[in-house]
Amino acid sequence: MEKITDIINNTEIVVRFSEADSLGIVWHGHYIRYFEDGREAFGEQFGLGYLEVYRQGFTIPVVKIDCDYKRSLIYGDKVLIETTYWNCEAAKLIFTYLLRNARTKEIVATGRSIQVFLNSQGELCLNVPDFILGWKNKVGLSK
């Protein structure tokens, strides 16, 4: 059996009126929100939601995010969000994103985010928390 290295969530959202300017074009900052929508859907599907992380005594702030814009979205478009978890041995979560226009299937943006673990005192964790090691084992990512 081949070892799983990354896992993927696919979700779809509709561009809301409040996300578009007077020309109907989505403001660039909302693409980062779509990445967040993808991370939340990923967490819901794979049991790694923000509230679960918090219940374990940790927070996972974003420390780096990149977005490469390819095409514009407009009010009413449906967006397919592909969120991929990149398995790594460091005490961080890495996700990549692929946003597509659901109708045309054209790529509208790609991106990447990095999150780190802070304990309940707000201190940076240098070791992967035990609950993450257990989660990786549960979803088939451990060695």
Side-chain angles (χ1 to χ4, degrees):
M1 176 185 251
E2 186 174 312
K3 178 181 170 282
I4 298 172
T5 57
D6 308 313
I7 50 179
I8 299 171
N9 168 269
N10 290 288
T11 193
E12 181 177 286
I13 63 160
V14 176
V15 172
R16 297 167 281 259
F17 177 76
S18 63
E19 297 166 351
D21 63 17
S22 60
L23 299 175
I25 299 169
V26 172
W27 176 64
H28 68 277
H30 289 299
Y31 291 73
I32 303 300
R33 176 184 281 171
Y34 302 152
F35 293 172
E36 179 76 24
D37 292 339
R39 281 196 309 277
E40 285 193 45
F42 179 95
E44 186 176 315
Q45 179 180 352
F46 293 105
L48 193 62
Y50 290 126
L51 289 177
E52 179 57 30
V53 172
Y54 184 75
R55 281 192 279 276
Q56 296 293 330
F58 297 89
T59 57
I60 46 174
V62 172
V63 294
K64 182 172 176 67
I65 196 155
D66 297 307
C67 183
D68 293 314
Y69 303 94
K70 311 294 184 187
R71 297 189 178 279
S72 296
L73 289 167
I74 59 171
Y75 170 58
D77 279 345
K78 290 183 179 177
V79 184
L80 299 172
I81 306 167
E82 181 181 288
T83 305
T84 302
Y85 171 82
W86 285 69
N87 192 21
C88 71
E89 293 186 21
K92 58 186 169 183
L93 300 177
I94 301 172
F95 291 96
T96 58
Y97 311 93
L98 178 65
L99 305 183
R100 290 184 186 273
N101 181 306
R103 184 179 54 79
T104 66
K105 305 300 187 238
E106 293 177 311
I107 296 173
V108 296
T110 60
R112 178 176 182 249
S113 66
I114 299 174
Q115 296 168 268
V116 296
F117 292 94
L118 301 181
N119 65 21
S120 58
Q121 290 78 40
E123 301 165 328
L124 179 65
C125 299
L126 300 178
N127 297 313
V128 178
D130 288 340
F131 84 96
I132 291 294
L133 296 174
W135 174 80
K136 285 183 177 190
N137 188 49
K138 180 180 173 184
V139 297
L141 292 173
S142 61
K143 292 181 178 180

